Amino acid sequence: MNYVSTRNKTVSLTASQAIAQGLARDGGLLTPEVFPKITPAMLEDWKGKPYGQRAVAVMKLFLEDFSEEELTGFTQAGYSAEKFDDSRVAPLHTLNDNTHCLELWHGPTSAFKDMALQILPHLLSASLVKNREEKTVCILVATSGDTGKAALEGFKDVDRTKILVFYPKDGVSEVQALQMKTQEGGNVGVCAVHGNFDDAQTGVKILFSDEKLRADLAERGYFLSSANSINWGRILPQLVYYISAYCDLLNAGKIQMGDKVNYCVPTGNFGNILACWYAKQMGLPVGKLICASNSNNVLTEFIDTGVYDKNRPFHTTMSPSMDILVSSNLERLLFALTNQDDQAVAGYMKQLSETGRYEVTDELKARLKEEFFGGFCDEAKTSEVIAKVWKEHNYLIDPHTAVAYQVMEEYRAASGDRTQTVFVSTASPFKFCDSVLTSLGVEEVRPGIEALDQLNQVTGRPAPGPLAALRDKEIRFEEHVDKEQMMDVVLTMLK
Ligand SMILES: *Cc1c(COP(=O)(O)O)cnc(C)c1O
């Protein structure tokens, strides 16, 4: 199977080349040229298997230059009982007759980024060997919270990799900072940058574009790469849980083979919902794809009108992982919906970078509406939903998940569609204790890590082990620098 660039179809790479390279040289995203088919017989077979084996079976269809044995090793390491606190890995929690929550936060950092970042480092490390790359890769990350910690846990002690994470000193929660400062592993580095997320991100971008640094590091046997969701190795593991959820619904007798299921996904960079759409392209019986946004509702408008316009105010919300105005992975959807018209995609992306706006053709607008429903949920409503779901279903959800729940209900009310629906839960409520406690009506929320105990007391639900264990962990990284000093931090780590 070939991987092509969304901006130039004549680029043709193997899977391991696409993963090692990350982004196409023309700035496009590397994407499979064709999608293999899932048959009912395959689903029948997979439904009897545990999650790890479902993952191997699905990923194997896309990774021709990897052996089944290799992939089995990756999933055994990534989704082990030591890393995931539920042996089902991505369990479904049923709320009522036709509503099910797909919990993607049972991994080491309590957010769904683990589902892919527990696998990507193994895929990347093996891809380097397959392509005779002798240097060690150093992953540089600027993080506003979830991605940095999940990448640290994923790359921790993986061969031929190092990882260095910069986070804004004033831009992450106390729990998030503690998660990173206590990170274990022999190949990891963490450093705070004075300022906000933009400062950290700009600093990392400057490092990536510094030719002299690149040459210095090459001499020392290193090259820089990133772990963000434009890498195919981050999208692929995400296809698996949509297929797995379908198998679980079959096993539970909620559906018969071939019945359609709707999925509702809280969306930021469009990676997670794109994976669901790809599963549909493979033949998974998916009905409507419901795209849920917070007050940063650029995607809601796009699905409604076909106009993508990032020229709008940026809102800081209680679902920060969805505070995004440019959803990078949308480019892959455009490529598919235009029947792989690379020139059209390159044109849209050029307009986006020059004017912050583009409008797709009428034909494409119609295709979008056929496949997707877009909705958004503001801050007040998000709080209300957290309280309502707790009260009505005795089920605790985080703000990102609450956004999904609300948009799912909005879709149902508007359409009358009663199809079995899975809404996706992307973070443990304990990762966002303050917002959850406040939503439940608690007036005095305790500071930092003490809020974990408080949420536990108020709800009787246990905090995930790795979060509860934070208070006993040794602080390993306390360095904080101005953004001009980030280069020194890199050079010191990669001596
Ligand atoms: C990253 C993230 C999202 C958004 O996922 P995308 O793939 O960027 O659309 C939603 N919720 C949480 C908790 C996340 O960490």
Side-chain angles (χ1 to χ4, degrees):
M1 176 189 300
N2 291 327
Y3 286 73
V4 296
S5 164
T6 48
R7 300 185 197 177
N8 180 358
K9 270 192 296 193
T10 63
V11 169
S12 176
L13 303 177
T14 64
S16 68
Q17 285 170 335
I19 290 167
Q21 195 175 311
L23 193 69
R25 308 259 185 257
D26 55 29
L29 307 191
L30 295 165
T31 302
E33 195 173 24
V34 290
F35 280 81
K37 288 293 170 213
I38 301 175
T39 62
M42 285 167 152
L43 290 170
E44 202 56 57
D45 174 29
W46 297 344
K47 83 189 194 355
K49 295 187 164 168
Y51 190 86
Q53 288 178 28
R54 291 174 182 170
V56 171
V58 173
M59 293 198 298
K60 194 163 63 107
L61 300 172
F62 290 90
L63 302 175
E64 284 166 351
D65 46 350
F66 290 77
S67 70
E68 183 159 341
E69 203 180 354
E70 273 179 297
L71 296 177
T72 303
F74 301 165
T75 58
Q76 281 173 350
Y79 298 142
S80 67
E82 197 184 294
K83 301 268 176 76
F84 277 71
D85 68 8
D86 189 306
S87 60
R88 296 166 297 174
V89 181
L92 272 184
H93 177 94
T94 292
L95 266 63
N96 64 26
D97 264 3
N98 61 354
T99 312
H100 315 271
C101 183
L102 178 59
E103 296 180 349
L104 299 181
W105 41 260
H106 288 278
T109 78
S110 307
F112 101 98
K113 301 281 192 294
D114 289 330
M115 297 303 299
L117 280 165
Q118 282 297 317
I119 300 297
L120 172 74
H122 300 288
L123 290 173
L124 181 58
S125 173
S127 295
L128 298 179
V129 175
K130 289 179 199 297
N131 291 287
R132 304 206 169 72
E133 172 60 67
E134 273 156 20
K135 295 194 278 298
T136 296
V137 61
C138 179
I139 305 294
L140 282 190
V141 182
T143 185
S144 56
D146 287 344
T147 305
K149 177 63 184 177
L152 284 162
E153 275 300 318
F155 279 94
K156 170 174 86 177
D157 296 329
V158 172
D159 272 358
R160 298 163 49 99
T161 72
K162 297 220 174 210
I163 175 161
L164 176 54
V165 171
F166 292 101
Y167 69 91
K169 192 156 187 308
D170 312 317
V172 302
S173 77
E174 270 178 78
V175 171
Q176 285 175 321
L178 202 55
Q179 275 188 306
M180 290 188 274
K181 286 179 179 175
T182 55
Q183 178 64 44
E184 292 164 355
N187 63 339
V188 304
V190 173
C191 181
V193 180
H194 302 145
N196 58 25
F197 174 59
D198 239 18
D199 295 311
Q201 187 168 41
T202 312
V204 164
K205 281 192 182 151
I206 291 172
L207 295 177
F208 272 120
S209 60
D210 190 315
E211 293 297 333
K212 180 166 178 316
L213 177 67
R214 191 179 297 265
D216 271 5
L217 292 182
E219 248 174 58
R220 299 178 187 196
Y222 292 104
F223 71 100
L224 299 177
S225 184
S226 83
N228 59 24
S229 68
I230 46 103
N231 193 309
W232 177 247
R234 264 193 70 179
I235 301 294
L236 178 57
Q238 299 184 20
L239 272 63
V240 177
Y241 44 75
Y242 294 107
I243 299 165
S244 175
Y246 193 89
C247 291
D248 289 345
L249 288 174
L250 283 171
N251 285 337
K254 296 285 174 191
I255 52 170
Q256 301 297 315
M257 184 64 75
D259 286 353
K260 286 197 168 150
V261 173
N262 294 339
Y263 288 90
C264 177
V265 186
T267 304
N269 217 5
F270 210 78
N272 203 0
I273 192 166
L274 176 78
C276 188
W277 189 78
Y278 280 155
K280 184 176 181 184
Q281 297 321 292
M282 294 172 73
L284 188 72
V286 175
K288 208 71 172 181
L289 273 130
I290 304 162
C291 177
S293 302
N294 64 21
S295 307
N296 296 294
N297 57 0
V298 61
L299 285 168
T300 313
E301 187 177 284
F302 179 63
I303 292 166
D304 262 2
T305 65
V307 176
Y308 195 98
D309 189 354
K310 70 159 190 166
N311 304 306
R312 59 177 69 224
F314 177 83
H315 300 286
T316 302
T317 73
M318 63 173 115
S319 46
S321 300
M322 296 155 69
D323 291 347
I324 286 175
L325 292 180
V326 177
S327 301
S328 322
N329 269 300
L330 191 60
E331 180 168 346
R332 286 191 165 110
L333 181 71
L334 296 175
F335 184 66
L337 290 183
T338 56
N339 300 318
Q340 307 197 336
D341 185 343
D342 49 1
Q343 291 317 299
V345 174
Y348 291 142
M349 292 304 121
K350 185 156 180 278
Q351 286 179 52
L352 182 66
S353 79
E354 284 169 2
T355 67
R357 183 184 185 281
Y358 61 87
E359 179 168 3
V360 298
T361 60
D362 287 345
E363 198 189 330
L364 218 155
K365 281 180 204 176
R367 285 280 283 134
L368 266 176
K369 281 221 164 151
E370 210 176 281
E371 304 266 328
F372 293 90
F373 173 87
F376 75 100
C377 176
D378 68 18
E379 293 290 274
K381 196 78 201 174
T382 305
S383 265
E384 231 177 81
V385 166
I386 291 171
K388 180 180 130 161
V389 172
W390 173 242
K391 198 164 142 234
E392 287 177 8
H393 299 283
N394 197 22
Y395 188 55
L396 196 62
I397 56 175
D398 97 295
H400 302 78
T401 311
V403 166
Y405 183 91
Q406 174 57 23
V407 175
M408 168 182 73
E409 291 295 70
E410 185 190 320
Y411 167 71
R412 284 173 160 173
S415 65
D417 185 350
R418 305 309 292 166
T419 306
Q420 293 286 332
T421 301
V422 170
F423 70 103
V424 173
S425 179
T426 48
S428 158
F430 282 88
K431 215 160 175 184
F432 299 93
C433 291
D434 325 13
S435 308
V436 173
L437 281 163
T438 309
S439 302
L440 295 180
V442 174
E443 275 168 18
E444 286 190 33
V445 174
R446 291 194 230 132
I449 194 142
E450 285 174 47
L452 282 177
D453 293 333
Q454 196 178 9
L455 187 55
N456 165 249
Q457 281 153 16
V458 170
T459 63
R461 295 284 180 275
L467 292 180
L470 277 177
R471 62 164 64 76
D472 302 320
K473 283 254 156 87
E474 176 201 351
I475 302 273
R476 294 187 63 207
F477 301 100
E478 286 191 289
E479 190 175 9
H480 50 92
V481 301
D482 288 332
K483 84 170 175 251
E484 294 71 26
Q485 298 168 291
M486 287 167 66
M487 170 99 67
D488 300 333
V489 178
V490 175
L491 290 170
T492 307
M493 176 161 167
L494 304 181
K495 273 199 288 276

